[in-house]
Amino acid sequence: MSSLPSGLKPGRDVTIRGAGAQGRTILAAAGGDPQMLWTPTRAERAGLKAAKAVRIDLKLEAVEGQLVGPALYADWGDGFSEDSYTRLKAGPDGWFASLPARSWQLNAVRLDPSEGECAFTVSDFKVTRIGDLGADPRGLKGAVIQALKPALGPLGKPVGAVWRRGRAMLQRSRGTRAVAGDAGPIRATYEHAIAVSKNLRSPHFAAPIAAPIVLPADAPKVVAFYLPQFHPFPENDLWWGKGFTEWTNVSKAQPQFLGHYQPRLPADLGFYDLRQREVIAQQIDLARGAGVSAFCFHYYWFAGKRLLERPIELVLADPTLDFPFALCWANENWTRRWDGDESDVLMGQDHSPEDDRAVFEDMARYIRDPRYLKIGGKPVLVLYRPEILPGPKATTDRWRAQARAMGLGELHLLCTTAFGFQDYASHGFDGLIDFPPHAIVEGEITRSVTPLHANFTGKVYDYPSVVQHKLDELEAAPAAFVPGVMPGWDNQARKPWSGHAFHNADPESYLTWLSGALKHVEAKHPKGEAMVFVNAWNEWGEGAYLEPDRWFGHGYLHATRTALGAYVPRLADAHPLVAQAQGAFQKRADAVVLLHLFYPELIDWFAQRLAATAGGLDVMITVPESWNEADLARVRTAFPSAHLAIAQNRGRDIRPFVETLRRARALGYSVFCKLHSKRSPHRAKGDQWRAELFDGLLGGEAAGLALRAFAQDPKLGLLASSEARMRIGDPDVMANNGAAVERLSARMGLKPSPETPFAAGSMFWGRTEAFAPLSDLADAEIGFEPELGRVDGTTAHAIERLTAAIVARAGYRASFEL
């Protein structure tokens, strides 16, 4: 006589073996897809109707083998769909899970006790109602349909297919009518805004830079224009309202057309106040990590009256803010141009020979500072708009004479292309800085976007098209031309309905522009004197900033770092220490650790932990080409018997893994353990995660258990800990990875499904031959993209999710029972 909980019955691949201790029924889960079904009584159905959610509590215990990935599915009227999947969690009194309602009636619950063979008992199965959805808004008709569904059973094929297809057609027809009535774009924009409010991120979202770049002295310099507007001051209080700063504009911005990225909100630094030293110190750390060489502060002088001076004065007074800087005199009137009224002058200029001398006297205080930016030994000074001076050549002559008289030496004077200015040489300047988006007319797509308001009069440009045009222009640029790039531009925050927006901007397109500009100046300017200016570091009101935001994260900082990475000395396998390690390497075991050691500060961490496995495992290590000689010597000393190779910084840990896996196969290794120096800087406990993953694979007796498992089962292709197991169908796993997974699956002949598991964190044991579908592909076929710090959506992330499908394609199986 069965002692199973009421309503719970064995389903597919589950049989009753007999009675066990305390009268509990012992069940056997065979290979395949073991299931048990719970069906509520009429009274239980009535008690669960219109519940917001249900909680399941049960006792599930293994008698033989292990419970691997126990999970629940709920039938809310459309069968046991993937959307209703929930993993069970272990609690103090057993297992439990909460199932959010997907309709007004719970019809059944499916228990998947384990993904592997085992014997088990189940007891105390309890379903508890949580909350109340209220009355069923579908009325009598909906209630009747809902009542019929249990009699029809779960809607599988063909009935379920017809039901779901009809529902999809209805939704599409509703969507079409909404678009036709002008509600479609508005609804899409609103839903996107809600998703962003729930922390939706761009596929380009990047983590903080964990390994700052160190550039040689003669590398091209990236100089970022810096807006000191982010603090209140009396004049702004008077002109725009008490407490006004640039954040006032930024925070009130709204999208003006379908797909328009607004509002643009800061991430790490928040809505900062530039009167605080800590903020500027954080900005310097971010800039230095990305390779930015200097800030060029916009300097505001109006016939002896200074505005926005507090941040610059704070920097000047604090030598611990050790970062190069320069000045750009914004020598135009301060007007209400932000509001579209150019004629309303709030603070005017009074250009004259006396004003020229007075403004330079003040700027000289900064130029004397040892941190001030110099090119070829000359201080860099930028003038925004030369053409509005009464005599620009006379001004530059006066400044040069004053500099010599003050003992500052010769100046490196530059001006900008703002408002189309070009004639720099006849006005006494040494060069001309391109200042996008001024004078850009190519790439306009205004007519192809869908405005969200009838009064929209702005212009929209396609950013990638603009990038290509600007790179083409560089081919004819004179030697004294200093390229300027922008990570984006969108001044809708300042000019609602009438601003200009550069749509489709992202870190990858910016990387293309910056890389091209750097190559140009490297070819045209003497070593150590090449510069590219970025507009800007923090022009939030104009959508032009490198600082982290909530949508892209640190993406633009990573892109800057990657572009400058071309000028960092690179290690190669021909390096004597690497060649020595490879020449001395001997295969001593049948299994090998494949370790990608990206962070040199973790050399000792891995050396200490891998010392315990030295007798049974060989070690093959890859390190990035950006390491210095000292770090390379340290890893050679820490791992004297290891094989050592240099890896290009693409594809995270996956590309180095593929390269080393090929070497391991060639050397005859049958089993490997894949590790990497994971830090996950976007996670609060990234270092702890690395330690947990390592311990699950090699800590304690784990290594011995893994090697025995591969020896006993010749079809075992991948082995990882149960704690690392996730599925492709789990929430958010495929949010940004669908296209890459589909592309790679077609390349390798894979057949992944929502049930396909993978080891989150990409650390696992494997059999070398089981990964042949991957290692046999050329790098060009795999298609690793440039490294931009993305936390998801790269080729590396797609391969991580496909590991179990890869070994299945080779005829092996994956296990998460370590």
Side-chain angles (χ1 to χ4, degrees), residues 264 437 440 461-463 466 486 488-490 500-505:
R264 296 169 174 268
I440 293 177
Y461 299 84
D462 179 57
Y463 181 88
V466 170
M486 60 183 187
W489 176 272
D490 183 355
H500 290 190
F502 286 74
H503 195 38
N504 302 317

Side-chain angles (χ1 to χ4, degrees), residues 340-358:
D341 187 355
E342 188 81 41
S343 61
D344 188 355
V345 177
L346 302 174
M347 183 72 70
Q349 296 286 351
D350 186 12
H351 295 302
S352 66
E354 292 75 22
D355 191 56
D356 287 347
R357 285 187 280 270

Side-chain angles (χ1 to χ4, degrees), residues 18-34:
Q22 300 177 344
R24 293 182 182 176
T25 300
I26 298 178
L27 301 124
D33 188 14

Side-chain angles (χ1 to χ4, degrees), residues 200-262:
L200 178 70
R201 295 167 171 176
S202 163
H204 296 272
F205 185 92
I209 293 173
I213 192 169
V214 179
L215 293 165
D218 60 358
K221 291 178 172 57
V222 169
V223 181
F225 286 109
Y226 183 107
L227 180 69
Q229 168 72 294
F230 298 93
H231 65 92
F233 58 94
E235 288 78 10
N236 261 354
D237 287 348
L238 176 64
W239 299 331
W240 310 99
K242 190 71 174 176
F244 176 91
T245 72
E246 188 73 349
W247 296 126
T248 308
N249 288 326
V250 171
S251 60
K252 67 180 176 63
Q254 295 296 319
Q256 303 298 310
F257 54 87
L258 189 61
H260 187 195
Y261 171 30
Q262 283 289 2

Side-chain angles (χ1 to χ4, degrees), residues 576-598:
L577 286 175
V578 179
Q580 181 188 68
Q582 293 183 2
F585 179 74
Q586 293 182 3
K587 182 176 182 291
R588 298 177 177 85
D590 189 49
V592 61
V593 170
L594 307 182
L595 168 61
H596 181 54
L597 195 46
F598 181 78

Side-chain angles (χ1 to χ4, degrees), residues 452-485:
L452 295 174
H453 197 284
N455 291 343
F456 179 70
T457 59
K459 291 186 177 182
V460 184
Y461 299 84
D462 179 57
Y463 181 88
S465 299
V466 170
V467 167
Q468 188 55 56
H469 171 74
K470 297 300 288 187
L471 291 176
D472 292 342
E473 276 188 343
L474 287 178
E475 295 179 5
F481 185 78
V482 179
V485 305

Side-chain angles (χ1 to χ4, degrees), residues 110-129:
R110 188 181 103 195
L111 167 64
D112 287 12
S114 179
E115 294 172 2
E117 296 182 5
C118 68
F120 66 96
T121 62
V122 59
S123 60
D124 298 343
F125 190 97
K126 182 180 179 182
V127 182
T128 306
R129 175 195 184 95

